[in-house]
Amino acid sequence: ESGASGAGACAGVVLRDYQADLLAQCLRENTVVSLDTSTGKTLIAIHLASRLHDEFPDKKVVFLSQNVQLAQQQAAEFERFSTMRVGCFTGETSGFCWRRDALDDTLILTAQIFLNALSTAVFIWHDVSLLIFDECHHANKRHPYNEILKQYHTVKSNNLPVPRTMGLTAGLASGRTLGETLVQMQKLCRNLDAVVRSADTSPYFQMPKEEVYALDMDTQSALLYTTLFPIFRQLERMFLENNVISGLPDLQPGSAEYGHWSKALAKKEVSRAASCASNVRLQLQLLAQCLRVFNRCLIILDEISVAAAWKHLREKYAALTEAAGPDMQEKLTVLFLPVLRLFTDADVAALPVRSAKLLKLREVITGEYGKEWKLILFVKTRLSVEMLAEELKGMKFTAQGFTGHGGKGDGTGMPIKRQRQVRMDFAKGKFDIMIATSVAEEGLNISLCNLVIRYDAIPHTLSYIQSRGRARKKDSKFIVIYHNNNREHVNFDELRRKERCMRLAVRILTEAPQSLQSPRSLTPLWDVIIRYTDAERLAPDQTDPALMDLIRDAPKDMLLRTCEQLFGAVPQLEVTKKGPEHAPIFECQITAGPLHLVGKPDLKASRAEALACQETLTQLAQRDLLIPPESKDKPAYLEKRYTSTSPPLEDQPATEMHPKSLLQHLCQSSGYPNPAYDYSVTTDGSFTVTVTLRFGISSPPMEFTSATPCRTRKDAEKDAARAACAELRRRGTTAEQSAVATENTAVADATAPLSTQNTSGVVAAAEAAAGAADAFCVLRDAVVTPGGAKKLRGVPANYCVLLF
C-alpha cells in the first residue's frame, strides 16, 4: 500500500491515497463511507478512531456490528492495526460487564448490546467520542441501529453533546429507480446524521468476473413445480377466510422467507385465532404444517432433484396422515391428491436424481477449476446445506456447512463457537467448499476465497453486491446458477441496472456539499442530478413498463407521490381558461420543485390537467426519477382512471389529436358510422392484445389490425386507429382537409331548433358559411353526430356550431 500515513496509535499503518482523502473527510464531519468490499473501509475507521482517541483520551470509541461473527472479526482487525486496547462484547459474552473506568479504549459491540446498555444507563452519550456503524444500510425501520439513532437525535435536539458518527457500507440503498434510490439514501443520511462520501477504487480493486447460467427444469420437475403452486394459494385463502391472517403474504413459495412465515403461522398465528373453534384450530395448524412441507418440497426440487422432492413429499404425507384424525385424513388426501397422482410407480423409478442446477454445479466445480481455489456456495436454507453437503461429499469434495446460530431450540442452529471454527478451518484450507446461507453474505473476510457461486435466488441488489464481495482474491469469479422456472429469482439484468443506479446516486451525493445533503428534498441537488443524468441516462428504454402504465392511467396520483418524495412538497397545478366564452380551451401549468411546465391545451379542464401531469412525469421518467408506489398500492392507482381516454406519451404537437378521436372525426366527415372496436387477447404467460377495427355501413366494411401485438389494449387501439386514419386519408380525406375541418367553423342561421329532422339543412348552411370571415376555432368534440347536432353553452338555440 502507498499514500499518506496515519497518526497516533496507527502510525505504523500506511493508507492508500483514496483512504487518506476519505479519512480527511471523516475528520471534518460525520460521514458514511460507501466503498466496494475489500477496499479497506475498516482501516479508515481504525485511523479515525485512533485520531479521536488521541484528541479525547477519556472517552471511548464504540464500533457496532451486525452479529457476533462480524464483531469478533472487527475486534481482531482493531487489535492487528492499532495499539488501542480493544474490548469485544456480544451476545455470546456472559453479560455486559464493562465499566466507565475500564481500560478499554475501543469497544466492539453488537447493536443490541449497546442499545441495552443505553437503556439501562450503563452508557451515556457523553462517554463516547465516536460511534461507528458497520453495514450501516440497516439503519432503518425497527433495526437496533435505528433505535440507537433515535436516542441520538433526541439527545442532540436537546442541545446535549453527542459523539461523532461514521457509517461503513458497500451498498447504502437500492431502489427501483434513481429517484427512489436517492430518496432512500437521503433518509439514511438523516438517520445517521452524516453525509455520503465515496472514491474511485478501480486502480486497487478488481471486480470478480461474472458468469450466469439460466437453466430450464426437466419435464418432471416443471410438472411438479406448476402443480404445487395452486395448492399454496388455496391454503392461504383458507387461512384468510378463517381470520388467521389479515392478508395474503407478499412472499414467494419456495423461499426461506416463506418457510419462516409458515413456521410462525403453525406455532403462533393459528393458536391466536380466537374466532376459530378448537377443532378448527387443530385443522388449521395441520394445514400450516402442510404449507411447510410443500415449501420444503419446492426448495428440494429446485436445488437437489425431483426424485428427492417426491420422496420428501411422500414421507411427510405419510407422517401427517398418521398423526391426523379420520376427518383430517380425508382432507389431507384431497389436498395431496393433485400431487400424488402425478407419477406412477414406474414413473418414480425413472425420475431424475439430480436437477439441472445440480448437474451444472458439478460441471462448474469439476470441469473448469483445478485444486487451487476456495469456494463459498450460497444456498437457500439449512436443509439445502445438509443435502448439498452430502451430494458434494459424494463427488469427492471436502465441504462444510455454515449457517446462522438461531433456532437452537429445535436443534437447527449452528453454535457460535462452531461458526468460528468452520470459518477458521476454511481460511486455513482444511476444506475447499463452504456451503452457507445468507448469514455469510455480509462482512465475512476470507482473503483466500476466489470463487463464489449463488445457487439460490438473489432477492435484491444489496444481496447481490454483498455476496459477490466474498470473492476477494485476485482473478476471482462470481457465478449464478438458477432455474428459469423459478418465480423467486430476480431478473439478473435488473439487478445490474439497480446496482448501476445505486452507484450513480452515490456519485451524485458524494459531489454535493454537506449543506445540500441534509434537507428533506432533492431540490438543492437538482443541478448535480441534471448533469449526471444527462451524461449517463438510465431511461427511458430501461424504465419499468409498469411505471409507464401508471403515468398513463393515474398521472395526478403518480405526480403527487413522486413530488412529495423528491421535493418534499406537493406540486402546484393551475388550470387557466382561454379562448371565447362559448368555446373555451383549458391549459394547465405545473410547478413541482425546480420544474415548471405548461401542458398542452385541451377541451376539458380535467384532461388538460392530466396532460400536464403526464408530460411532467415523462420528463422525470427520462431521468429515472419516478417514485413508484408499493406493490400493495398498485391496484388502487390502476383503478383510479383520471381520464376516460388517456393521451399518448409521445412528444407530439399540441394540435395533434388522439388517434381514436381523429379516426372518429374522419369517419363522420367521410359518411361512415362511428368505428367499432374488437379485441382479442392471447396469453402465453403474459398478455398480448390485438385490436381489430371494423367500420362501414353503407360502404363495404374495412378491417384494420394493429401491426404488432401490443402490451396494453390502449396501445393496440392507437396503433390500429393510426392505420385506419391513413387509409381514410388515402381515400380522399386528406390531412390538410382534416386540419381545415379542425380549425374552421361556421355559424349557420336556422329557423327551427336543431333536431334529427333538420340536420341536413344545418349541414348545408354550414357548408355555405364555411369561408365566413367570422369563423372561429371550435373544440374537437363539438361535432354533428349521426343522430343530430350538438349544442355548446352560450350559443343560441337557433344557431349551430358545426365542426366542418
Side-chain angles (χ1 to χ4, degrees):
E1 295 181 344
S2 62
S5 61
C10 285
V13 182
V14 180
L15 294 177
R16 294 168 178 163
D17 292 338
Y18 72 87
Q19 291 173 318
D21 292 340
L22 288 170
L23 174 61
Q25 168 66 32
C26 294
L27 288 168
R28 288 194 296 270
E29 57 188 338
N30 296 344
T31 305
V32 173
V33 176
S34 179
L35 292 175
D36 286 307
T37 54
S38 306
T39 53
K41 297 186 293 292
T42 303
L43 195 55
I44 299 173
I46 293 173
H47 273 258
L48 180 63
S50 300
R51 295 284 190 92
L52 290 180
H53 172 66
D54 292 344
E55 187 175 351
F56 305 102
D58 295 333
K59 296 186 177 184
K60 309 300 178 183
V61 173
V62 175
F63 189 106
L64 301 181
S65 289
Q66 268 286 97
N67 53 48
V68 175
Q69 288 291 324
L70 293 183
Q72 294 172 345
Q73 179 176 285
Q74 299 294 15
E77 293 292 301
F78 268 79
E79 290 173 350
R80 177 186 175 190
F81 290 111
S82 76
T83 58
M84 292 184 293
R85 292 162 296 192
V86 179
C88 182
F89 298 92
T90 67
E92 189 184 20
T93 310
S94 58
F96 184 52
C97 55
W98 178 83
R99 304 188 315 274
R100 288 190 181 90
D101 58 350
L103 298 179
D104 299 322
D105 303 318
T106 300
L107 297 173
I108 313 295
L109 309 173
T110 51
Q112 190 63 50
I113 290 289
F114 185 65
L115 181 60
N116 294 344
L118 288 175
S119 302
T120 56
V122 173
F123 254 117
I124 58 175
W125 288 102
H126 185 68
D127 294 332
V128 185
S129 62
L130 174 65
L131 187 58
I132 304 172
F133 295 86
D134 194 20
E135 308 295 348
C136 66
H137 50 270
H138 293 291
N140 54 24
K141 298 181 180 178
R142 300 182 64 182
H143 193 277
Y145 279 0
N146 207 28
E147 297 301 319
I148 291 168
L149 287 165
K150 287 179 182 178
Q151 295 191 32
Y152 169 93
H153 285 285
T154 301
V155 172
K156 185 179 179 180
S157 64
N158 292 325
N159 296 320
L160 296 174
V162 290
R164 296 282 299 277
T165 62
M166 180 188 190
L168 305 177
T169 183
L172 188 56
S174 175
R176 289 163 289 179
T177 65
L178 174 62
E180 188 175 57
T181 304
L182 284 166
V183 168
Q184 290 180 6
M185 285 186 179
Q186 276 200 317
K187 183 178 179 180
L188 279 168
C189 287
R190 288 195 298 270
N191 288 353
L192 292 160
D193 194 26
V195 298
V196 181
R197 291 294 179 258
S198 186
D200 179 17
T201 60
S202 55
Y204 306 95
F205 175 70
Q206 183 182 9
M207 195 73 72
K209 181 182 177 183
E210 295 183 5
E211 296 178 7
V212 181
Y213 297 100
L215 310 172
D216 291 325
M217 284 183 177
D218 56 77
T219 305
Q220 297 95 325
S221 297
L223 180 61
L224 181 56
Y225 193 89
T226 54
T227 305
L228 283 173
F229 255 85
I231 301 177
F232 282 97
R233 301 313 176 201
Q234 176 186 347
L235 290 173
E236 289 167 2
R237 284 193 294 270
M238 192 179 300
F239 289 116
L240 186 64
E241 290 167 359
N242 285 277
N243 299 318
V244 177
I245 55 177
S246 57
L248 296 178
D250 189 19
L251 299 170
Q252 195 65 256
S255 65
E257 292 75 15
Y258 196 96
H260 299 326
W261 177 79
S262 60
K263 182 178 180 180
L265 188 68
K267 287 187 174 181
K268 299 178 182 178
E269 299 299 333
V270 173
S271 61
R272 289 205 298 257
S275 60
C276 299
S278 58
N279 62 327
V280 175
R281 285 203 300 271
L282 291 175
Q283 293 178 9
L284 290 175
Q285 284 177 332
L286 190 59
L287 293 177
Q289 294 177 34
C290 293
L291 270 182
R292 294 194 68 195
V293 171
F294 291 137
N295 192 68
R296 284 192 167 199
C297 183
L298 282 184
I299 293 172
I300 297 171
L301 175 67
D302 182 58
E303 300 197 333
I304 307 299
S305 69
V306 62
W310 181 258
K311 179 182 177 182
H312 175 80
L313 194 67
R314 291 300 300 262
E315 290 176 352
K316 293 299 181 181
Y317 169 67
L320 288 171
T321 305
E322 184 178 351
D327 294 340
M328 279 306 300
Q329 287 180 355
E330 182 179 350
K331 292 185 179 181
L332 286 173
T333 302
V334 173
L335 187 64
F336 278 77
L337 186 61
V339 184
L340 296 176
R341 67 185 181 187
L342 285 179
F343 307 119
T344 64
D345 292 339
D347 294 332
V348 172
L351 290 177
V353 295
R354 289 188 176 91
S355 66
K357 278 176 62 175
L358 190 55
L359 291 173
K360 175 56 70 174
L361 176 65
R362 183 174 186 171
E363 176 188 334
V364 167
I365 295 176
T366 60
E368 291 191 37
Y369 302 95
K371 297 182 180 180
E372 296 299 324
W373 49 265
K374 292 290 181 185
L375 164 63
I376 297 179
L377 178 64
F378 284 101
V379 298
K380 290 182 182 179
T381 63
R382 296 168 181 174
L383 176 66
S384 303
V385 171
E386 297 172 5
M387 301 187 75
L388 277 171
E390 292 300 320
E391 285 285 337
L392 292 172
K393 287 177 183 177
M395 300 177 192
K396 309 302 181 184
F397 294 108
T398 55
Q400 289 285 344
F402 186 88
T403 64
H405 62 271
K408 295 177 183 176
D410 53 15
T412 60
M414 178 177 281
I416 294 174
K417 290 183 179 180
R418 176 60 180 160
Q419 284 183 337
R420 183 164 58 248
Q421 187 62 47
V422 170
R423 185 164 55 89
M424 291 173 61
D425 289 348
F426 184 63
K428 292 176 181 178
K430 292 186 177 182
F431 58 93
D432 297 324
I433 303 175
M434 178 189 285
I435 309 172
T437 56
S438 59
V439 70
E441 280 183 4
E442 289 188 346
L444 195 64
N445 185 6
I446 301 174
S447 58
L448 294 178
C449 178
N450 58 356
L451 176 60
V452 172
I453 297 179
R454 285 300 301 237
Y455 195 69
D456 59 340
I458 304 178
H460 49 74
T461 310
L462 293 179
S463 175
Y464 164 57
I465 294 171
Q466 294 283 2
S467 58
R468 185 185 62 195
R470 298 314 104 211
R472 300 197 167 199
K473 198 173 181 181
K474 187 178 180 182
D475 299 324
S476 298
K477 283 195 174 183
F478 177 70
I479 299 175
V480 180
I481 305 174
Y482 68 95
H483 279 134
N484 283 321
N485 315 58
N486 191 346
R487 304 184 189 183
E488 185 191 1
H489 189 79
V490 178
N491 182 278
F492 200 70
D493 291 334
E494 180 66 11
L495 289 174
R496 286 171 169 163
R497 188 194 75 82
K498 288 182 177 179
E499 182 191 14
R500 181 184 169 206
C501 181
M502 183 197 72
R503 293 182 183 277
L504 181 58
V506 169
R507 286 163 56 194
I508 289 172
L509 292 176
T510 296
E511 183 170 324
Q514 189 271 345
S515 59
L516 298 185
Q517 291 199 19
S518 54
R520 298 175 179 269
S521 169
L522 292 180
T523 303
L525 292 170
W526 193 250
D527 291 339
V528 182
I529 293 172
I530 294 296
R531 184 166 69 256
Y532 273 99
T533 52
D534 281 343
E536 193 170 347
R537 299 296 274 275
L538 297 177
D541 57 312
Q542 294 179 341
T543 301
D544 185 355
L547 295 184
M548 307 311 290
D549 288 342
L550 291 174
I551 292 175
R552 183 192 60 218
D553 297 327
K556 189 174 181 181
D557 291 339
M558 186 69 176
L559 184 64
L560 290 174
R561 176 184 179 85
T562 296
C563 290
E564 283 178 337
Q565 296 287 321
L566 290 182
F567 309 124
V570 297
Q572 302 298 316
L573 283 69
E574 181 181 356
V575 179
T576 57
K577 183 169 68 173
K578 298 183 178 181
E581 184 63 30
H582 54 271
I585 59 173
F586 297 90
E587 191 175 75
C588 180
Q589 298 183 31
I590 292 181
T591 302
L595 295 178
H596 181 74
L597 182 138
V598 179
K600 301 171 185 177
D602 203 90
L603 317 173
K604 299 179 181 178
S606 60
R607 185 171 168 80
E609 191 177 78
L611 284 170
C613 291
Q614 286 178 331
E615 190 169 346
T616 306
L617 288 170
T618 302
Q619 290 189 13
L620 291 171
Q622 289 172 353
R623 300 185 184 279
D624 202 27
L625 294 174
L626 295 181
I627 306 294
E630 300 296 334
S631 57
K632 62 183 179 181
D633 297 333
K634 189 176 293 185
Y637 276 79
L638 293 176
E639 287 171 8
K640 186 174 181 179
R641 306 286 176 174
Y642 196 71
T643 56
S644 58
T645 307
S646 299
L649 290 176
E650 301 85 31
D651 188 15
Q652 58 181 355
T655 57
E656 183 179 342
M657 299 172 66
H658 189 281
K660 286 184 66 176
S661 301
L662 179 61
L663 177 60
Q664 182 176 2
H665 163 63
L666 291 177
C667 288
Q668 290 170 350
S669 61
S670 301
Y672 292 109
N674 288 337
Y677 294 84
D678 292 330
Y679 310 101
S680 61
V681 181
T682 304
T683 57
D684 54 353
S686 61
F687 290 97
T688 303
V689 181
T690 304
V691 179
T692 303
L693 299 179
R694 299 182 181 88
F695 44 90
I697 298 177
S698 58
S699 303
M702 294 182 290
E703 294 186 359
F704 299 91
T705 305
S706 53
T708 57
C710 301
R711 193 171 55 81
T712 64
R713 191 183 76 182
K714 292 179 180 292
D715 292 339
E717 284 179 347
K718 291 192 291 185
D719 192 17
R722 289 191 186 101
C725 290
E727 176 63 18
L728 280 181
R729 284 167 169 162
R730 189 186 65 79
R731 294 170 67 90
T733 307
T734 63
E736 289 79 5
Q737 291 172 328
S738 178
V740 171
T742 305
E743 294 173 1
N744 294 292
T745 62
V747 179
D749 191 358
T751 57
L754 298 176
S755 65
T756 304
Q757 288 73 22
N758 66 3
T759 298
S760 59
V762 172
V763 172
E767 288 176 346
D774 59 346
F776 56 88
C777 182
V778 71
L779 305 183
R780 286 199 296 264
D781 62 348
V783 298
V784 175
T785 64
K790 178 178 179 179
K791 293 191 297 181
L792 293 182
R793 62 189 180 194
V795 180
N798 61 341
Y799 282 92
C800 170
V801 178
L802 176 69
L803 179 65
F804 184 62

